[in-house]
Amino acid sequence: FLDIYPNPLRVQTLDRIVHELKAKESGAATTICALNDSLENKSLELANMQRECSDLLLANSNVKAKLRTVSSELLSSNEELSIVNSEYVERIDELRDVNLDIENLLASTKIGVVFLDETLSMRKFTTAMTGIVPLTQQDVGRKIHVFNFDFGDEFIEVCEQVLSSKRSRNNEVLREVTHEDRKSTRLN
């Protein structure tokens, strides 16, 4: 039989179920909307991140190209510096050989020579010079003025003239120094 009169309990239950279904449907719709909004936001974020990633890849590519260029330039500069360094080493060797030749020449000729710098401080002297005046290695760096050399009154003047004119001058010393002279020649 078909029940024409609905059962009130059943109607209430059905109403409650319909009401619950509508509430769940509404909640599901809200959740779906929220998920759609979240999905759109995430899609936008993903698109932004992809753009940023593309920009970073492009920037990285540019930096790599610049680094390759700089690296190439540095290698080229390094090669040039190596060549210049080799030339300097050769030049230093040549200067050392010339310096040794000059020292050997001065030692073999037994000529007394004092080398002074621009302030008239003693740079070096030959061994033959120690036979004329009592010089020691401790005298290197001292001003020529502090020595009491008996080379004439104009000795310091001549040294200053040579320094200012940049022209050499030869003076001959015609006396031998005795042991007593050596003691009295030095000023401390």
Side-chain angles (χ1 to χ4, degrees):
F1 282 101
L2 188 58
D3 212 358
I4 307 181
Y5 298 102
N7 179 350
L9 188 58
R10 207 185 246 178
V11 170
Q12 252 182 355
T13 303
L14 283 174
D15 283 343
R16 189 176 41 89
I17 290 173
V18 168
H19 181 63
E20 285 176 7
L21 284 175
K22 284 184 180 180
K24 284 183 181 180
E25 180 184 14
S26 173
T30 304
T31 302
I32 288 172
C33 269
L35 287 173
N36 279 337
D37 288 347
S38 176
L39 185 59
E40 280 183 35
N41 288 340
K42 296 298 180 191
S43 292
L44 288 173
E45 284 179 28
L46 181 60
N48 286 336
M49 291 172 110
Q50 285 174 333
R51 264 193 307 278
E52 288 176 11
C53 187
S54 291
D55 291 346
L56 286 174
L57 286 172
L58 181 62
N60 186 30
S61 178
N62 291 338
V63 167
K64 280 183 179 180
K66 287 178 184 177
L67 285 175
R68 274 192 230 89
T69 301
V70 168
S71 178
S72 176
E73 290 172 359
L74 285 174
L75 284 173
S76 177
S77 294
N78 192 30
E79 289 171 3
E80 290 174 23
L81 286 173
S82 291
I83 291 169
V84 169
N85 191 38
S86 296
E87 291 171 357
Y88 279 147
V89 167
E90 287 177 23
R91 184 70 177 135
I92 288 169
D93 289 344
E94 289 173 9
L95 289 173
R96 186 188 65 239
D97 291 344
V98 168
N99 192 33
L100 287 172
D101 290 344
I102 291 171
E103 286 180 13
N104 289 335
L105 175 67
L106 289 173
S108 67
T109 58
K110 304 211 184 303
I111 297 173
V113 180
V114 174
F115 296 91
L116 303 174
D117 66 12
E118 62 277 349
T119 65
L120 296 181
S121 295
M122 193 178 308
R123 284 186 36 227
K124 66 182 184 176
F125 54 89
T126 62
T127 306
M129 192 64 183
T130 60
I132 301 168
V133 291
L135 296 173
T136 65
Q137 282 300 84
Q138 288 80 11
D139 293 324
V140 173
R142 294 177 72 191
K143 300 258 188 221
I144 198 73
H145 301 89
V146 300
F147 297 97
N148 187 15
F149 297 143
D150 190 18
F151 294 154
D153 296 336
E154 68 210 32
F155 176 67
I156 300 297
E157 226 176 89
V158 169
C159 291
E160 289 170 345
Q161 287 172 2
V162 167
L163 179 64
S164 65
S165 70
K166 305 288 187 212
R167 301 180 88 178
S168 65
R169 182 165 169 181
N170 295 321
N171 287 2
E172 194 171 327
V173 177
L174 299 175
R175 72 177 192 90
E176 287 214 21
V177 178
T178 64
H179 183 65
E180 283 74 34
D181 287 337
R182 287 178 191 254
K183 288 182 187 174
S184 66
T185 303
R186 291 188 57 74
L187 288 179
N188 292 323

